Amino acid sequence: MPKLRIFNPEHDMALAFGGTNYTPTPLAQKLRRDLQMLPAWFSASNDSILSRNPELDSTWAECINKRYKTSIKAVSTQEVGAFNDIEPWGWNRYLRRRLFLDGVQECFLPSEECINDIRNLSHRRISISFHHEFMEMIPELQDNIPIESSDLNEVIDFARKHPKAYVKAPWSSSGKGVYRALDINALDFTRWCSGIIKRQGSIMCEKPLCSIMDFAMEFRCDNGKTSFVGYSVFNNDTHSSFSGGLIMPTNALEDKIIAAIGNKELLLKVKECAMTILDKLIAPHYTGYAGIDMMVYRDENGYARINPCIELNLRTTMGIVTCSISNRYISPGSYGEFHIEFHKDTITKDYILDLEHKYPVQITDDNKIKSGVQMLTPLYQDSQYCAFIHIFNSSL
């Protein structure tokens, strides 16, 4: 039986809510609907993807299957009860309840205990444990251990001692639960912090760092063991939300990160230690993708260093998407960029056609992308989000 993939980007906020009666925000629902076919690019052959527009998405999938010799299918909500192997973007109680009501047998869903483990391990305090483990194994790392506090005065005092510090909600989606403490006297700052403490019990405080490069290491946990999937080098917008990433082979990304650090041995040591820590703290309790966001930053003396754990994501990440595309769909010698765009107004078909006309996709004889723009999801009548890759070839 093929696997059913589900794109549920509201996952982090559903974890924050904790219950089964969560209602995604309108913007989260829009993102889910507009990019619902994104799992096509990291799915195995014959996998199916849950679709709210199965007829249109099936037509799109047929074109993708023909172009790249894949066998992806779009299925409706009414068909999910036939699946016994389901892998969403992330597991939470809200999604578990939804699938049960849609007809999935409970024996094919993760247990409540498993969901609780995922929620507890997804709390940002896990980064404190990761930092302690990293520093024990790699003493040359600087102390950038976050502080967890449930006292508003302590949070304000931390922000006062560390100007432009970051304060973060324990559970939040990319960028939505992060506040840069630029003005600790601002009413908005104290209201935001007190609100997070009231709703989630505490708040995480982090020193500001002079970032050189944001990157992540992507892993997979199965049967209590961790395997390395690849790297992702990404961009964040002004709200600390993911806006795009590089499409490159794993070795090229590794070289790029090493160039920023200036120390190959240190990066490889961090990767090895990350797998050891995941084996110890995460893999016994979790099955699925895990991404550790990291940073190359410049210290007060101007030296490049690594922060080995900005945060841990126990879900599929956009880095998994870029890793899969880089390894499976890109011709050797080509590289590119992954983009997610949001438009205030509905995206027109002319906008997409113009992109594809300016940068027509060129496919090699072995069904790899050599250059051009490839849209990663269909365009719907009311789409406001779109995802695409723009690929270049060094020989052109």
Side-chain angles (χ1 to χ4, degrees):
M1 186 72 185
K3 188 189 294 284
L4 174 66
R5 305 272 185 178
I6 302 172
F7 181 59
N8 58 315
E10 75 280 1
H11 164 70
D12 293 313
M13 296 312 298
L15 279 185
F17 180 79
T20 59
N21 295 321
Y22 170 70
T23 301
T25 64
L27 207 58
Q29 294 183 52
K30 197 79 183 74
L31 178 64
R32 183 181 67 205
R33 289 196 300 267
D34 289 355
L35 303 187
Q36 61 190 347
M37 292 300 291
L38 194 61
W41 301 96
F42 57 88
S43 294
S45 186
N46 294 318
D47 279 357
S48 296
I49 301 168
L50 178 60
S51 165
R52 305 290 170 177
N53 304 273
E55 186 174 343
L56 188 153
D57 289 340
S58 292
T59 300
W60 177 84
E62 287 175 10
C63 295
I64 296 301
N65 289 336
K66 184 177 180 180
R67 177 174 285 183
Y68 299 111
K69 304 304 178 188
T70 54
S71 303
I72 304 303
K73 298 177 182 177
V75 298
S76 68
T77 303
Q78 289 72 32
E79 298 173 84
V80 300
F83 289 86
N84 58 23
D85 187 0
I86 302 172
E87 185 164 333
W89 194 257
W91 279 113
N92 53 70
R93 293 186 68 202
Y94 160 68
L95 177 65
R96 184 184 188 278
R97 179 65 174 167
R98 265 181 52 202
L99 292 174
F100 177 74
L101 293 176
D102 286 338
V104 178
Q105 296 181 51
E106 191 155 13
C107 61
F108 299 136
L109 296 170
S111 67
E112 289 282 353
E113 181 182 6
C114 178
I115 296 289
N116 288 335
D117 284 343
I118 292 172
R119 185 172 191 268
N120 291 333
L121 292 171
S122 296
H123 191 291
R124 276 196 166 105
R125 72 164 64 97
I126 194 68
S127 64
I128 297 175
S129 300
F130 267 67
H131 273 279
H132 283 300
E133 295 281 347
F134 271 116
M135 291 185 66
E136 185 174 329
M137 290 185 279
I138 313 176
E140 61 264 37
L141 293 174
Q142 275 194 334
D143 178 2
N144 289 303
I145 301 176
I147 304 297
E148 181 182 10
S149 178
S150 56
D151 186 311
L152 178 61
N153 291 325
E154 285 182 359
V155 175
I156 293 173
D157 187 54
F158 182 93
R160 184 176 290 113
K161 290 179 180 177
H162 305 284
K164 301 181 181 180
Y166 287 92
V167 291
K168 300 181 177 181
W171 293 283
S172 64
S173 61
S174 175
K176 300 299 184 293
V178 179
Y179 198 114
R180 189 87 188 268
L182 300 176
D183 182 3
I184 61 173
N185 297 313
L187 188 59
D188 284 349
F189 175 68
T190 54
R191 282 178 175 171
W192 188 88
C193 292
S194 60
I196 293 298
I197 292 171
K198 182 179 180 180
R199 291 191 299 274
Q200 298 193 23
S202 64
I203 207 163
M204 306 300 299
C205 306
E206 298 179 10
K207 301 173 187 176
L209 299 173
C210 180
S211 176
I212 298 173
M213 176 185 289
D214 293 311
F215 73 102
M217 293 186 186
E218 312 292 348
F219 302 92
R220 176 86 192 186
C221 297
D222 282 301
N223 301 315
K225 294 297 293 180
T226 305
S227 58
F228 179 68
V229 175
Y231 299 99
S232 61
V233 174
F234 54 87
N235 302 314
N236 287 324
D237 63 19
T238 54
H239 302 290
S240 300
S241 296
F242 178 91
S243 60
L246 296 180
I247 302 292
M248 285 183 174
T250 299
N251 60 342
L253 287 174
E254 185 171 86
D255 289 343
K256 193 173 185 67
I257 299 167
I258 290 169
I261 303 168
N263 188 333
K264 179 177 181 178
E265 182 181 350
L266 178 60
L267 180 67
L268 299 182
K269 193 182 295 185
V270 167
K271 180 170 73 172
E272 180 182 343
C273 290
M275 294 178 67
T276 300
I277 299 168
L278 287 165
D279 277 348
K280 177 181 178 181
L281 300 181
I282 305 299
H285 315 285
Y286 170 75
T287 296
Y289 290 114
I292 305 179
D293 288 352
M294 304 184 180
M295 179 192 291
V296 182
Y297 69 97
R298 203 170 298 284
D299 68 13
E300 61 275 9
N301 297 313
Y303 295 111
R305 292 181 173 272
I306 293 182
N307 183 329
C309 186
I310 300 295
E311 67 180 38
L312 170 70
N313 294 300
L314 294 188
R315 55 170 170 79
T316 311
T317 65
M318 291 301 175
I320 292 296
V321 180
T322 59
C323 282
S324 177
I325 291 173
S326 296
N327 294 331
R328 294 166 57 183
Y329 294 98
I330 307 303
S331 175
S334 295
Y335 63 96
E337 301 165 346
F338 170 55
H339 297 273
I340 292 180
E341 292 185 353
F342 173 74
H343 296 234
K344 290 184 179 180
D345 299 316
T346 301
I347 300 171
T348 65
K349 190 173 183 179
D350 286 344
Y351 175 78
I352 304 300
L353 290 174
D354 186 53
L355 269 178
E356 294 176 330
H357 177 73
K358 284 182 179 177
Y359 311 104
V361 66
Q362 295 187 28
I363 310 295
T364 62
D365 291 340
D366 58 349
N367 307 108
K368 306 287 187 181
I369 303 173
K370 185 175 183 179
S371 64
V373 165
Q374 171 64 62
M375 304 306 298
L376 301 180
T377 53
L379 180 70
Y380 308 113
Q381 286 187 343
D382 61 347
S383 287
Q384 289 177 269
Y385 285 97
C386 67
F388 63 90
I389 53 173
H390 189 176
I391 304 301
F392 311 89
N393 187 273
S394 56
S395 64
L396 296 179

